[in-house]
Amino acid sequence: MPTAPPAIQAEFDFGAMYDVAAASLRGSGPVQRPENQDNFLVVDGQGHACHLLDQLPRHCRLPGWPAGHGRVAVLDGMGGHGHGREAAEALVTSLLTLPPCHGVADLGRRLDVLHAELQRHFAHDPGARPGTTLTLVELPPGAPPLLYHVGDSRLYEIGPEHAHSLTVDHVPATAEAMAGRIDERGWWRQVHGRHAPQIAQAFILGNAFGEPGRLSDPLLALTPLNLPSWLCHLPDRRVLRLRQGAVYLLATDGFWSCAAPDRFVSGWPALLQGATDARGMLARLFGSLEQAPPPGLHPDNLTALVLRPLAPAGLEADETALPDGARSEHS
């Protein structure tokens, strides 16, 4: 039986700056996960917030939220650990109370504190420690967006011809690349050329970058100091320079959990061509998985958020978000 179309949330007020839409599904096709452990968050410029609670959209208004400030995020609760959905919900709930941030250092410091607080919150639960990915974009008024990323959800830039990931997956292959044990081509094949569900770091869970198989409590920020040269332009915590004419997609890995992810993702520019708003783009992304799923698609939760810039703040007219050298094809 066809999956019911997602309930797309798009009634947000970002003024003349951004067009935003978000949606989340338990899955696509006849075989699906028993629950949706993903989540998302949208806080618009009027303090109207939307996220999932008990797997259903919840709307609320944040008192005292400054006009014009925005926040968007996607989260993927760790399905292989206990309380994955609860971990993602706990983080989203905490993000509703996180003060608006205007700098990368402030955003990173506050989220690192929140990570430690949530670790303590879940410390007495039986079983393995839960975790969740977090790919978050803070949208200060009149200033470029700020990125905070942990896990293997992604931020994509989708232009007329290409779709490029603007985040580095926190997976064992990245740890191998950081240690110099695999090169750029080998990393690309493992991360973007096939489906590999293992993760090396997640919010609340901690990180295994230092010693595979053993978790350390803190989060390890991937920076130009510890990333290989061919990834050092994509640190986890940075100012984003959005490109005119591009669309930005925050999504969980259900959208590329297939036999050849890079081939499937390469079709997104054509898929979105002609769609005039974020809602329409999101409908096409979800519809493609239902109507023409890629070979080897794994059953997984699906969460996506489209951010379409409308005005110049945070945009670069003559520069792309990635250097030319980082836009080469990896085949």
Side-chain angles (χ1 to χ4, degrees), residues 266-283:
S266 69
W268 286 351
L271 178 69
L272 299 188
Q273 192 168 16
T276 58
D277 59 13
R279 182 194 289 270
M281 293 173 181
L282 208 55

Side-chain angles (χ1 to χ4, degrees), residues 281-314:
M281 293 173 181
L282 208 55
R284 290 190 183 189
L285 286 163
F286 277 93
S288 70
L289 289 179
E290 184 64 32
Q291 298 157 17
L297 183 66
H298 292 248
D300 204 352
N301 303 148
L302 302 166
T303 299
L305 186 151
V306 168
L307 173 70
R308 193 170 69 93
L310 303 176

Side-chain angles (χ1 to χ4, degrees), residues 151-175:
D152 63 352
S153 299
R154 293 177 186 164
L155 168 65
Y156 274 95
E157 177 190 279
I158 306 175
E161 297 180 356
H162 301 287
H164 302 281
S165 178
L166 301 185
T167 49
V168 175
D169 287 12
H170 295 178
V171 293
T174 299

Side-chain angles (χ1 to χ4, degrees), residues 173-205:
T174 299
E176 293 289 294
M178 291 164 65
R181 290 189 284 267
I182 59 174
D183 61 10
E184 180 177 6
R185 186 172 293 274
W187 177 85
W188 181 270
R189 282 199 302 267
Q190 292 192 44
V191 175
H192 292 278
R194 66 181 180 90
H195 171 60
Q198 293 123 331
I199 198 165
Q201 176 164 241
F203 212 92
I204 304 174
L205 182 69

Side-chain angles (χ1 to χ4, degrees), residues 43-48 61-69 96-100 102:
V43 182
D44 71 13
Q46 303 302 316
H48 168 220
R61 189 164 294 279
L62 305 184
W65 187 260
H69 198 104
L96 293 173
T97 66
L98 189 76
H102 295 268

Side-chain angles (χ1 to χ4, degrees), residues 66-181:
H69 198 104
R71 177 176 293 158
V72 297
V74 297
L75 307 90
D76 183 351
M78 299 283 294
H81 294 70
H83 306 298
R85 176 173 63 82
E86 291 85 348
E89 286 183 354
L91 178 50
V92 163
T93 301
S94 298
L95 291 175
L96 293 173
T97 66
L98 189 76
C101 298
H102 295 268
V104 171
D106 182 36
L107 180 64
R109 182 171 56 252
R110 290 181 183 276
L111 285 169
D112 284 347
V113 169
L114 181 55
H115 163 75
E117 290 175 349
L118 288 174
Q119 275 190 340
R120 291 192 292 271
H121 174 77
F122 284 98
H124 302 296
D125 287 355
R129 181 191 287 169
T132 178
T133 71
L134 174 64
T135 302
L136 179 147
V137 177
E138 191 85 350
L139 301 166
L146 312 173
L147 171 70
Y148 182 99
H149 168 72
V150 58
D152 63 352
S153 299
R154 293 177 186 164
L155 168 65
Y156 274 95
E157 177 190 279
I158 306 175
E161 297 180 356
H162 301 287
H164 302 281
S165 178
L166 301 185
T167 49
V168 175
D169 287 12
H170 295 178
V171 293
T174 299
E176 293 289 294
M178 291 164 65
R181 290 189 284 267

